[in-house]
Amino acid sequence: MISYASLLLSNQYLRKNLSIKKWLAQRQELTLTYHDGPLNGQSSAPLNYHIFSKSTRELGGFEPEKLNLMEQHCDWMDGSMEIKLNFHITGDDGIFSVESGDLQNYYGKDYPLKPALQREGRLYTSYQPQLIRRIIKDRNRLIQNSSNALDDDWVFDLRDLISNVISLVEIAFTQLYIKAEFDPLPGWKFSKDKLGERHARRTKDKFKWVYQITGQQLNIEAEMPSFDNLRELRNHLMHFDPPSFVITIEEATIWLNQILDVAMILIKMRLAIGVAISKDLINMALQPEAIFVPGDNTPRKPIDNSKNENYASSIWPKK
């Protein structure tokens, strides 16, 4: 994954489209100079695939500031205006209000919503970056505190994490649909007859939106079993139909690792639609795998999902 992340970063920052093999053969170091923003007039550290790989491996993730780089992201997916108010002011002229016009910049002038905050609270124009960081933090916390995995709180925290992961994918599809409807990128097609309504759609129909809008294939066959499993698990944990639930720590380890496949799905989605991959999304995919370590050396048999045992014993039989 570090090699793949380094490939993404090399192509994205150095504006190339090379394979890992070609990057490995290239030792030339390049620098970027910024002409606006907080790094105006400054140059990046020397860059190539090997430098991205070394930095990512040593830091355990991608930290652009360590290479004197500005973070790259997709404005309409990751751009998030965050406002906090801890007061409410009224007067003869009306009510003090903070209003965001960012969404018109992201989704076009015809986008009908302008979020406004008039009293104590928070305003977000996008919730995707915050949710990615929350998923990273919660997944790491569950692994670090796996000694408490038999406690109710640990199980409920895992439930929340799985729900957030599926919500993150649904948010990305919603943003893609809205962008295509109100402010499509060049070459995109939007047909409500083909796409259907955003709401009450099967998830597998939403995956088709990428090709129907952009003409690009997702190529996520390897990752889809993980997503399908987490989606079914989310539905069970949210609705508890059936009301029973069995969790084994071995299966929880599998679920925690399937989250990394969902990160890959979101990365491939961005590659297909041709937008920047955020630092947070790369770091979500770069999280280490969880490993189940039993408490004793008792001989164990592998989990057999085809049998009515462990988690499978607490759900309706598959048709």
Side-chain angles (χ1 to χ4, degrees):
M1 188 56 221
I2 289 176
S3 299
Y4 184 69
S6 302
L7 171 68
L8 296 175
L9 293 168
S10 299
N11 285 334
Q12 184 163 291
Y13 275 94
L14 302 177
R15 300 185 181 278
K16 297 180 182 291
N17 188 24
L18 303 181
S19 65
I20 288 181
K21 183 177 180 180
K22 289 185 177 179
W23 274 117
L24 286 171
Q26 187 172 119
R27 292 285 176 176
Q28 180 185 7
E29 297 178 357
L30 304 173
T31 58
L32 303 178
T33 301
Y34 292 99
H35 300 291
D36 54 26
L39 296 180
N40 183 27
Q42 299 186 42
S43 296
S44 69
L47 301 171
N48 60 25
Y49 171 87
H50 302 277
I51 292 169
F52 277 120
S53 178
K54 182 174 183 291
S55 174
T56 302
R57 193 177 304 276
E58 289 177 351
L59 297 171
F62 175 52
E63 298 182 21
E65 62 275 8
K66 299 293 185 181
L67 298 172
N68 209 34
L69 290 170
M70 289 179 61
E71 181 183 348
Q72 293 189 3
H73 62 264
C74 169
D75 281 345
W76 55 271
M77 276 196 159
D78 303 309
S80 180
M81 180 180 183
E82 294 186 46
I83 297 173
K84 296 180 183 179
L85 282 185
N86 62 355
F87 56 83
H88 176 54
I89 299 177
T90 63
D92 294 338
D93 296 330
I95 300 174
F96 175 81
S97 176
V98 180
E99 186 177 86
S100 169
D102 285 3
L103 294 177
Q104 281 64 44
N105 294 329
Y106 299 156
Y107 298 123
K109 60 182 177 58
D110 294 329
Y111 186 73
L113 299 182
K114 282 192 175 183
L117 184 63
Q118 298 178 337
R119 60 199 69 211
E120 298 86 351
R122 296 290 301 271
L123 183 155
Y124 301 92
T125 52
S126 171
Y127 208 52
Q128 184 169 167
Q130 296 88 349
L131 195 56
I132 294 174
R133 291 192 291 269
R134 177 73 180 222
I135 288 168
I136 293 171
K137 182 182 74 173
D138 288 353
R139 182 181 180 274
N140 182 64
R141 182 166 52 84
L142 282 167
I143 293 171
Q144 295 299 324
N145 292 287
S146 58
S147 57
N148 301 321
L150 300 183
D151 296 345
D152 289 344
D153 284 344
W154 195 95
V155 175
F156 276 109
D157 288 343
L158 177 65
R159 174 181 182 260
D160 292 343
L161 174 62
I162 291 170
S163 176
N164 285 340
V165 169
I166 302 304
S167 292
L168 180 62
V169 176
E170 293 173 342
I171 289 171
F173 281 129
T174 298
Q175 289 175 300
L176 172 64
Y177 188 106
I178 291 173
K179 181 68 173 176
E181 181 177 6
F182 290 98
D183 186 36
L185 297 182
W188 283 16
K189 297 178 180 178
F190 180 83
S191 170
K192 187 164 284 190
D193 290 338
K194 289 185 177 179
L195 300 176
E197 297 287 346
R198 289 195 312 276
H199 310 291
R201 303 297 302 172
R202 296 181 304 175
T203 304
K204 70 177 186 178
D205 290 334
K206 294 182 179 181
F207 278 100
K208 296 176 183 177
W209 288 351
V210 175
Y211 179 78
Q212 291 168 332
I213 292 171
T214 70
Q216 301 296 318
Q217 298 287 355
L218 272 175
N219 299 319
I220 54 172
E221 291 79 9
E223 294 84 14
M224 275 305 294
S226 292
F227 175 82
D228 286 337
N229 185 64
L230 291 178
R231 180 179 55 81
E232 292 176 3
L233 182 61
R234 187 279 303 264
N235 292 343
H236 184 194
L237 290 173
M238 291 298 106
H239 304 293
F240 276 97
D241 182 5
S244 53
F245 179 58
V246 173
I247 176 173
T248 68
I249 311 308
E250 278 185 271
E251 288 171 300
T253 305
I254 293 171
W255 302 337
L256 287 166
N257 289 334
Q258 287 177 332
I259 291 172
L260 306 182
D261 286 338
V262 175
M264 281 297 300
I265 288 175
L266 292 167
I267 286 173
K268 289 184 175 182
M269 177 182 177
R270 294 197 182 205
L271 289 173
I273 64 181
V275 299
I277 302 163
S278 68
K279 172 194 73 173
D280 293 328
L281 190 51
I282 287 175
N283 285 334
M284 179 179 167
L286 279 170
Q287 287 189 284
E289 288 190 354
I291 299 172
F292 173 69
V293 182
D296 56 44
N297 295 321
T298 303
R300 312 179 68 85
K301 69 171 186 174
I303 291 177
D304 187 348
N305 292 324
S306 65
K307 294 184 178 179
N308 188 32
E309 58 188 25
N310 301 306
Y311 173 67
S313 68
S314 64
I315 59 175
W316 300 118
K318 294 185 180 294
K319 298 179 180 179

